[in-house]
Amino acid sequence: MKSRIPGFYKLSAEERLKLVGEEAELSDEETERLGGTGLTVEQADRMIENVIGTIEVPLGVATNFLINGVDRLVPMATEEPSVVAASSNAARLARRLGGFTVEVSEPVMIGQIQVCNISDAGAAKKAVLEHKSEIIRVANEQDPVLVKFGGGAKDIEARVIDTLQGEMLIVHLLVDCRDAMGANAVNTMAEAAAPMIEELTGGRVFLRIISNLAVHRTARAEAIFSKDDIGPDAVEGVLNAYAFAASDPYRCATHNKGIMNGVSAVVLATGNDTRAIEAGAHTFAAYPEGYKPLTRYWKNDVGDLVGAIELPVAVGLIGGATAVHPVAKACVKILGVKTASELGGILAAVGLAQNFAALYALSTEGIQRGHMRLHARNIAVMAGAPTELVDKVAQQLADEKKVRLDRAREILEELRKD
Ligand code: NAD
């Protein structure tokens, strides 16, 4: 697959789909689903409760991504203008010095078992740790399929915490989820292990649920942006922007939000759980203490800008909506990933690209110029412009630097008179 497609953005949606379909070897049905029917109401009705319809979100494809030497076309589902363009632009700059290098840990999630009403927390903890293998055996009996694929419960951790309700023992079941996000698998195991843990501790178990702070399942990405491409001013600008976020929570929230613009768009496109990924990312940013940027930047020996990111990547290719949503399935095929870990690595690369693009724009010309050009099209549509006039109205709004609804209505009126 090639991901460097100059002028991709100038094609019509139909032409882009044809090109992506050829690159990803999509079937006629997959192409038809992407360009038309999407998720049917009957399918939606089997996914959640009280269904009355579906809501569409634009699906774009980011180009230029080179990740561990492999070209990837990256589907992104988002309602926000500029996200796909920004990602593609950053990926184009990164690929000049080799693209993104990513590393992904084993896909290990944490299942938490909350033990209350314990008289001796130290003894309870010891008892649990001494019976690790029995607890792991009970957990693994719940999911022979996962075990067959090399996953399953692998280890146990135990912590005593002080809470408003007194001391509690929190047992962590560490489960290798292979290509599943793992919530159902982990929750089932945690529930099954609970009676044994009650017996061992003499306490009472209340919650048995996965943790979204997936510290054992993270992906890292790194990329170099050449000072010759972006200019030494931009190198300093991005370093200043990063330093700002690292020292100011007001800025840091927006810094990390921008990263998730890219990450969540890919998570959504692949039918994964956006809330799980968002919760994991923001908690990881505050872990072990103090809310920090998920990315880091520094200058290398020759003065180029190096960017890096690490974030939890609790995503799967098996189970959840990924397995049943026809558009999500087609998106996984476009990405060309065969394992959940590969998808995790792509999320890290996209998060870094998105963040670099935002900091580069913010610290140089500002983001409004590029953003407003795209936003102008939304305003033109809001003003009631028919399809054939949207670009004309948007262009004039952008040229006049007056991207406002009242002005869009006036322009439309003038064009109609003409
Ligand atoms: P799942 O239970 O549908 O599928 C996972 C199962 O597929 C495994 O347990 C295993 O038996 C089987 N399997 C087959 N091939 C496999 C392979 N190669 N690798 C791994 N497993 C394989 O899905 P899940 O991932 O356990 O659950 C994900 C869903 O749970 C998502 O929809 C998510 O939204 C939801 N959820 C999330 C939370 C949370 O994040 N806190 C809580 C509850 C539910």
Side-chain angles (χ1 to χ4, degrees), residues 143 146 149 177-185 210 212 273 318-320:
D143 203 334
L146 185 58
F149 282 106
C177 298
R178 291 290 94 197
D179 296 319
M181 181 268 179
N184 288 319
I210 196 165
N212 288 110
D273 185 333
I318 308 279

Side-chain angles (χ1 to χ4, degrees), residues 55-351:
I55 181 166
E56 306 296 330
V57 177
L59 178 71
V61 171
T63 52
N64 302 328
F65 274 89
L66 181 64
I67 302 173
N68 284 357
V70 178
D71 264 15
R72 303 275 188 188
L73 286 169
V74 182
M76 301 177 88
T78 178
E79 84 301 339
E80 189 169 345
S82 300
V83 168
V84 181
S87 244
S88 305
N89 193 31
R92 183 180 56 83
L93 289 165
R95 73 182 284 133
R96 296 172 61 122
L97 290 180
F100 298 87
T101 310
V102 307
E103 265 176 42
V104 188
S105 69
E106 292 296 308
V108 173
M109 298 296 292
I110 299 169
Q112 295 196 292
I113 299 155
Q114 176 201 28
V115 196
C116 302
N117 311 348
I118 30 175
S119 49
D120 182 343
K125 178 176 170 178
K126 191 159 169 272
V128 165
L129 294 177
E130 277 173 1
H131 292 82
K132 264 185 189 186
S133 49
E134 289 98 307
I135 300 170
I136 289 172
R137 184 180 47 77
V138 169
N140 280 336
E141 278 168 9
Q142 312 309 311
D143 203 334
V145 177
L146 185 58
V147 174
K148 192 182 96 189
F149 282 106
K154 300 287 181 189
D155 203 359
I156 303 275
E157 293 170 343
R159 294 177 301 131
V160 178
I161 60 169
D162 271 325
T163 78
L164 296 172
Q165 293 279 93
E167 258 186 353
M168 292 175 191
L169 176 70
I170 308 299
V171 179
H172 282 184
L173 192 58
L174 304 195
V175 183
D176 182 324
C177 298
R178 291 290 94 197
D179 296 319
M181 181 268 179
N184 288 319
V186 170
N187 295 346
T188 306
M189 288 186 180
E191 287 188 9
M196 181 183 266
I197 290 174
E198 280 189 334
E199 212 170 289
L200 288 166
T201 59
R204 170 143 183 235
V205 167
F206 283 80
L207 271 58
R208 295 142 294 164
I209 178 84
I210 196 165
S211 168
N212 288 110
L213 177 54
V215 288
H216 301 301
R217 190 180 196 175
T218 66
R220 278 184 258 172
E222 209 173 289
I224 305 173
F225 302 93
S226 161
K227 66 173 183 317
D228 300 329
D229 288 332
I230 64 174
D233 261 11
V235 173
E236 286 310 309
V238 172
L239 289 173
N240 286 339
Y242 162 58
F244 181 11
S247 300
D248 179 37
Y250 296 95
R251 173 57 209 150
C252 195
T254 322
H255 180 104
N256 287 340
K257 187 271 179 187
I259 292 171
M260 301 315 286
N261 276 344
V263 174
S264 293
V266 182
V267 172
L268 185 59
T270 55
N272 273 288
D273 185 333
T274 51
R275 290 82 54 213
I277 286 292
E278 292 275 350
H282 291 287
T283 327
F284 188 71
Y287 176 82
E289 56 188 28
Y291 189 69
K292 294 287 174 217
L294 290 163
T295 48
R296 286 181 301 120
Y297 291 90
W298 65 94
K299 222 177 345 189
N300 68 12
D301 296 345
V302 292
D304 291 333
L305 182 74
V306 189
I309 188 171
E310 183 178 12
L311 81 167
V313 287
V315 283
L317 299 179
I318 308 279
T322 311
V324 293
H325 196 303
V327 176
K329 285 201 267 187
C331 287
V332 168
K333 196 161 166 189
I334 293 170
L335 278 170
V337 290
K338 295 281 177 272
T339 64
S341 295
E342 275 182 280
L343 175 56
I346 290 173
L347 295 182
V350 171

